[in-house]
Structure formats: structure tokens, C-alpha cells
Amino acid sequence: MSIVLDQVTKRYQGAPVVNDVSLNVRQGEFLVLLGPSGSGKSTLLRAIAGLTEIDHGRVALHGRDVTHVNSRERHVGFVFQHYALFRHMTIGDNIEFALRVRKVKSAERRARRKELLKLVALEGMDDRLPAQLSGGQQQRVAVARALAHRPEVLLMDEPFGALDAKIREELRRTIRQIQRELDMTTILVTHDQEEAFALADRIGVMHQGRLLECGKPDDLYTRPATRFVSTFLGAANLLLGYRTPRGVRFSSAPMAGGEVPREVVAILRPEEVELCADELAIKSNFVSHGQVEEVLFGGAVERLRVRMASDGPVPVAPGREGSTGQGSLLEVSRTLPEQRDFPVAVGQRVAVGARSIHVLPTPISSFTAVAANEAAARELRDSPLLLTLGTRMQTRVATRIGRFERAPPGMPAIATGPDCAAAAEWHLTHGAVQLLCVPPTAPLPNHVVIHTLDAESRRATLAVAASLLRHVAAEAIYLGIQPAASAESERGAHMRNLLDARSAALADHGLDMRTELRPGVVAEELQKELAAYERSMLVLGTSNPDAIQWDWLKSLLEGTPARPVLIVNSARAEPAADA
Ligand code: ADP
Ligand code: MG
């Protein structure tokens, strides 16, 4: 591996802007870091280059730990968004600059300069000043300069940012060519998904300081693991689906045996929607009837919006008040042949089919705020944590007054405070897979403590924690606690188990977290860890809710200061959920 990042964390004013990023880049690989503005891409790139110190973690280049090595000794070439050429120096001198500071002899410098100008197709331009070159040419010089000292890796931060579309495309091609020719391990940062698709061997998607997913462009597009990636890499309809033994369907009605199907987040890409005149003509899987509401524009690709029947699929985010009695809108795109086969107009009734549905492996589908009365349910729904999770997950936060026969689908949320423990116990023994206990006015957590009460619940708990942590900018610690008197060998085994669970979570969910094993009593250690941070939250896993010792949990759920507690009941969690 030529670039290895291990739990790299960088904070500004105490808040992580790069949060536990772990990543391996192979020799010769072209990795694109993609993410919206402010997601931490530049900070991460600068940390690799040694231009920014990090607060936690390790950086290794070509097997050498360079975490504490200064930038010049890291052998990296860096290209900035703005050309950053020396205005008063000729192109030749600009390129030779990095060699001069490294005390390379003049004959060798000249030979290298010539070689590099040829590489970036600017032969003979040695004596010009930067101002005499176009933007695209200047950026080529910047690339040549970054490569002058024969770096082992090339890092580029939005190198095409300031260029217009045509030149950008041309420069892309040049950079890809040079990268292949030199077999240069490269990381390029961009916020432009088209650029990422055009250049990358692999794309790493960043959001709020986290590296959410990393994979081949087509894998990320067809099988994203997260809501953010599925909507950031192209258009997607996010729908609440229900997993049955015969596949995903869109009705939550109980199955034949009376069992309630599991709620999941399903992705239907606009191009995977089939439209026909009636249900019988649908060749794919029938989803719903609908009415064409908008035809956005014709041409090679036609974009439509179809209002689905009110008993059709529920979008993941139907708006704040839940169902309005009106069906949801579906984004559809159709190729020219499809348009020819079945022309449609606004107002027309159609049957809707799905050629392919991708179910996200996320264990959190939606939330239901459960309270004794309307006002309390609404207060809970509007609590900072639930509001933020609902918005960032683009998911439904429903309300429910009183308990029904069984826990609601998705994740029930209840208020901490009096009677919270009893309500929690009821939900966990009445079908809840996860339960969120929220102090209605508590601010968002910035420190998440994860603990599992037994080994069986590790996997499901870390899956839920990963899903949560993608949406709150909090640092997480997976805490193991063992009686102080336990033997050395037992502690070793426990630590190995924690690390294995962490690696599995990293592999399964792409999300890293710190691990620590402490001697002590579970209740006391958790209380202590939570109390050490003002805005902390607990994620607690169990495979047997009946075995929970409620006395200490009760003091956590009903005492002050109240903190959010997410309980994962792994006995009801699905095994690795991906379809
Ligand atoms: P990106 O390159 O993805 O747009 P950055 O890495 O530049 O994101 O920034 C990530 C976050 O860190 C932003 O919220 C930004 O405001 C903050 N940030 C970056 N540099 C500094 C700094 N020197 N001091 C304080 N905050 C910073
Ligand atoms: Mg940036």
C-alpha cells in the first residue's frame, strides 16, 4: 500500500473536521476524494502532505510512518486549486524551484525540466512567464512542478476548479495519461461527481469529516451503502420498502403468517423505472399506478415526475407531517427508444414498474416518536437529535400517541425522564430492534460511547452505530469493560475481540471508530465516560433485553443530566442485511 491512513482525525475548535478516516491506496492507484464543500477533503489531503498536523491517527507512505515527518521529507507532490505559480519566475524556473531547494545540480535540473515540459505537452515554453499562459497551461505547469522532485505520490486539490469546461476536460485527460505513464499513486480532491467518474479507479465519498464509502465508481453507483452516497452520485428515489421472503414490496401490511415485514430503505434510480399503459404491460416488477405530473424536458433523455397512487410506495421523507393522503412523487428518466415505445403527456395515467431495486444495508429506516400525548410526541419529534437525524437521513419521523400492540416499524424514540426505563423495556420486549431514548432539549452529541453487553450483539450494534455516526459529527469510542481482577489472557482475548469487531465494522460499513478496553464495573465506567463529555451519547447493544439490569440503566435514562441512549436489540436484528 503506498498510502495508508489509520484513524486520522483533525479538529478545529474542538470539532472534528476529519473524523477517524482510515484508507489504503495502492501503488499506482488513482483515488478521487469526492464530497460537498466543507466535508473535510482539503484538510485530509493536507494532512497526508504534512501541511496540517493531525490530532489523532497515523499516516504512512510506502510503508514508512510519516505522521511526524515534515512535509518536505514526505516525497509528495501537491497541486493546489489556484495555480500558485511564482508570477515573477519563468515557467522553467517555476519547475526547477523544487529541485533548487533540494540542492539538485544545475545540469540535472535542466534535463528534468525538459523532460517534464514534454510530459505536460508544453515543450519550448521554458522562458515564458505564467501570465503569458492560459489557465489550463498554467495548471499543467503546476503539475509539472509538483512532479519535479520525483515524488512518490501526487496529491491534487481541485486542480481544475478555476478552469472552464472544455479546458477542464482536456486537462483531465492529460493528468490521467501522466498518472498512468508514471504509475503514480494519486489522490485528487473534487466536489464534482462527473469529474470523479471520469478519473477515478476508486472514489472515496466524504461527508461531514467522515469517509462514508470508498469503492469503484460503478459499484458505488449501483450498490451504494448509504443514503448520502446514493443521492450524491446521481439521482435516486428513496422509498420505504418492506422485506418479505419473496423480495421487497412497498406495503407494510402483515404477511400471510401475520408477521410484520421488516422496514428497509430502498433505492429506485430514475432510469430503472418502467412506465406502461397498464399493469399487465409491465415487464419488470409492478410497483404502483400513477399519474404523470411533469415532463421536464425531451431530447435524448426525458425526465418526468409521476405522482404515485396514495396506496403506493411511501417515500423515505414524506415531509414533516407524514402522509398527506396524496401519493409520492417519483423521478423517472427515459431514453429515446423508451419514449418512442410509449409516449406520455402530463395528466396521463400510467402503471409504474421497477426494473431494479437496491436495498441499503443501513439498519435505520425511519423513526417514530412515541409519547403519551400529542404535545409530548411533537416535542420529541422536534428534539435536536431526532430533527437532525430525520433531516440528514432524509427519512420519516412519524409520531404515535400511546403504545399499540407492538413497537412501531423503524426505530421508536421515547423521551428520557420519568418512566423512561419502563417504556424502554416495553418497546424492547415488544418487537423493537432499536430504541432511541432522547432528552427532548439536549443538544447534538459530539462524543458517542459504544458498548455491547454481550459478544453476540457486537455486529448489529456497530452497524447501527455506524449508521448513526454517518449523520452526526461526533467522535466515537467503542469501549470494552472488564472486571479489574480478570486475568491477563482474558484481557488479551477481549481486546482482540474488540479489534476484530472494529475491523469487521470498518469492512462492512466503511466506518472506523476507536476501541479501548478498561478494567472496572460496566455501569460505573460508562457513567464516567459519558460524564467526561458535556454532549455525550451512549449506544448500548444487547442480544437479550430480558437480561438487562435496569437499575443502572434507569439512573442513566431517568437521572440528570439526561443524555441520549440508543439501545440495540440484536436478537431481533437481521443478519448482514444486503439484498
Ligand atoms: P472541503 O475541502 O471538503 O471543502 P475543508 O477541509 O476545507 O473542506 O474544511 C472542512 C471544515 O473545516 C470546514 O468546516 C472548514 O470551515 C473547517 N476548516 C478548514 N480549515 C480550517 C482552519 N484553518 N481553521 C478552522 N476551521 C477550518
Ligand atoms: Mg477544499
Side-chain angles (χ1 to χ4, degrees):
M1 294 295 170
S2 77
I3 303 176
V4 176
L5 306 182
D6 183 29
Q7 304 196 318
V8 170
T9 298
K10 171 73 183 176
R11 304 184 192 102
Y12 284 119
Q13 284 95 43
V17 300
V18 171
N19 196 348
D20 262 344
V21 172
S22 296
L23 172 70
N24 292 342
V25 187
R26 287 187 308 276
Q27 165 58 42
E29 188 174 22
F30 198 130
L31 182 103
V32 173
L33 277 180
L34 173 69
S37 169
S39 54
K41 308 179 297 292
S42 295
T43 306
L44 182 59
L45 204 67
R46 296 172 63 84
I48 299 169
L51 300 169
T52 297
E53 284 201 32
I54 57 178
D55 294 300
H56 180 91
R58 270 178 352 100
V59 178
L61 298 176
H62 292 277
R64 183 170 70 117
D65 188 328
V66 298
T67 315
H68 304 290
V69 171
N70 78 30
S71 181
R72 192 174 291 167
E73 269 117 55
R74 290 195 186 189
H75 306 293
V76 303
F78 204 100
V79 179
F80 297 88
Q81 173 166 9
H82 298 288
Y83 322 124
L85 296 180
F86 300 112
R87 308 258 123 211
H88 59 281
M89 278 189 201
T90 63
I91 298 311
D93 287 342
N94 260 289
I95 293 176
E96 283 188 38
F97 179 80
L99 301 175
R100 202 172 287 135
V101 295
R102 285 177 173 78
K103 312 231 177 327
V104 175
K105 298 225 168 57
S106 110
E108 195 185 329
R109 287 202 314 259
R110 256 195 312 277
R112 182 78 182 133
R113 171 221 284 194
K114 204 162 171 245
E115 205 177 294
L116 285 161
L117 281 173
K118 182 161 180 242
L119 187 70
V120 298
L122 290 175
E123 281 169 293
M125 302 265 193
D126 308 55
D127 296 328
R128 302 230 190 144
L129 286 170
Q132 294 169 302
L133 263 52
S134 71
Q137 288 173 324
Q138 288 186 44
Q139 205 54 319
R140 282 169 200 249
V141 176
V143 172
R145 191 178 63 176
L147 293 171
H149 60 290
R150 301 183 195 278
E152 288 167 342
V153 302
L154 180 61
L155 307 174
M156 294 185 275
D157 193 352
E158 313 237 12
F160 315 118
L163 305 171
D164 61 50
K166 195 167 148 52
I167 294 173
R168 194 187 280 226
E169 213 163 296
E170 205 179 287
L171 195 58
R172 252 185 225 165
R173 214 163 289 139
T174 311
I175 284 186
R176 193 66 173 126
Q177 214 170 354
I178 294 172
Q179 189 268 340
R180 289 223 176 97
E181 210 171 303
L182 302 179
D183 193 32
M184 176 75 68
T185 310
T186 302
I187 300 183
L188 179 140
V189 158
T190 182
H191 62 272
D192 181 337
Q193 29 143 316
E194 193 192 313
E195 198 156 288
F197 279 128
L199 285 167
D201 291 324
R202 262 193 319 156
I203 299 177
V205 181
M206 286 193 72
H207 185 44
Q208 294 173 338
R210 293 271 185 190
L211 181 65
L212 291 191
E213 292 185 54
C214 201
K216 290 193 188 128
D218 57 331
D219 285 343
L220 281 190
Y221 185 79
T222 50
R223 283 183 298 282
T226 62
R227 298 167 169 89
F228 182 79
V229 172
S230 58
T231 49
F232 195 68
L233 292 182
N237 296 290
L238 292 186
L239 304 167
L240 285 178
Y242 299 87
R243 195 196 292 282
T244 72
R246 290 172 50 219
V248 174
R249 66 171 198 204
F250 292 102
S251 153
S252 64
M255 295 183 280
E259 204 188 326
V260 178
R262 171 73 50 109
E263 188 178 85
V264 294
V265 178
I267 293 198
L268 178 53
R269 294 271 183 207
E271 66 271 22
E272 300 289 2
V273 177
E274 183 188 5
L275 297 184
C276 291
D278 57 67
E279 187 176 339
L280 290 176
I282 294 277
K283 289 195 273 303
S284 58
N285 293 308
F286 176 73
V287 171
S288 166
H289 289 286
Q291 187 169 21
V292 178
E293 198 159 296
E294 197 173 42
V295 180
L296 289 174
F297 59 79
V301 178
E302 178 189 54
R303 287 167 207 283
L304 314 108
R305 291 180 142 190
V306 175
R307 172 79 61 188
M308 293 198 277
S310 55
D311 60 350
V314 176
V316 168
R320 304 285 301 131
E321 290 305 323
S323 170
T324 55
Q326 211 180 19
S328 56
L329 271 180
L330 197 70
E331 306 268 355
V332 182
S333 64
R334 302 198 309 163
T335 62
L336 215 48
E338 287 175 278
Q339 298 167 42
R340 256 188 243 118
D341 284 351
F342 179 51
V344 298
V346 171
Q348 188 170 334
R349 305 210 143 268
V350 292
V352 177
R355 295 190 188 97
S356 149
I357 288 175
H358 170 66
V359 173
L360 292 184
T362 174
I364 304 178
S365 53
S366 69
F367 299 91
T368 304
V370 184
N373 59 62
E374 186 71 44
R378 230 178 285 139
E379 188 193 16
L380 190 58
R381 185 196 62 192
D382 295 339
S383 64
L385 183 58
L386 262 187
L387 196 61
T388 304
L389 288 177
T391 309
R392 294 198 181 147
M393 289 184 174
Q394 308 169 47
T395 199
R396 178 172 64 176
V397 184
T399 54
R400 180 187 275 194
I401 313 305
R403 295 175 202 154
F404 297 179
E405 243 168 72
R406 49 185 299 119
M411 193 187 306
I414 58 177
T416 55
D419 302 326
C420 181
E425 190 170 6
W426 183 89
H427 276 96
L428 290 171
T429 48
H430 286 76
V433 185
Q434 308 127 7
L435 173 70
L436 186 59
C437 307
V438 204
T441 56
L444 286 180
N446 61 8
H447 183 73
V448 173
V449 183
I450 303 159
H451 180 73
T452 43
L453 293 171
D454 47 54
E456 294 74 28
S457 59
R458 275 185 192 131
R459 200 184 163 121
T461 306
L462 293 187
V464 174
S467 201
L468 171 86
L469 287 166
R470 288 191 195 112
H471 302 95
V472 291
E475 292 185 51
I477 179 163
Y478 181 31
L479 200 57
I481 302 164
Q482 200 159 39
S486 53
E488 186 83 23
S489 62
E490 259 174 71
R491 280 202 298 276
H494 197 155
M495 193 63 215
R496 274 194 301 281
N497 288 338
L498 287 184
L499 290 173
D500 285 351
R502 173 208 145 192
S503 312
L506 180 60
D508 292 348
H509 314 290
L511 201 112
D512 207 350
M513 55 192 80
R514 274 162 246 166
T515 38
E516 205 181 308
L517 181 63
R518 280 188 209 160
V521 177
V522 170
E524 283 167 20
E525 289 307 314
L526 289 182
Q527 298 267 25
K528 223 188 292 173
E529 178 70 20
L530 290 166
Y533 297 81
E534 206 172 314
R535 296 195 275 137
S536 49
M537 168 170 181
L538 176 65
V539 177
L540 188 69
T542 176
S543 67
N544 182 7
D546 293 329
I548 289 181
Q549 289 164 5
W550 285 98
D551 45 349
W552 67 271
L553 200 52
K554 188 174 159 110
S555 68
L556 206 63
L557 297 175
E558 300 183 8
T560 47
R563 303 172 189 284
V565 178
L566 198 171
I567 303 173
V568 180
N569 175 6
S570 74
R572 297 227 355 122
E574 259 176 316
D578 52 354

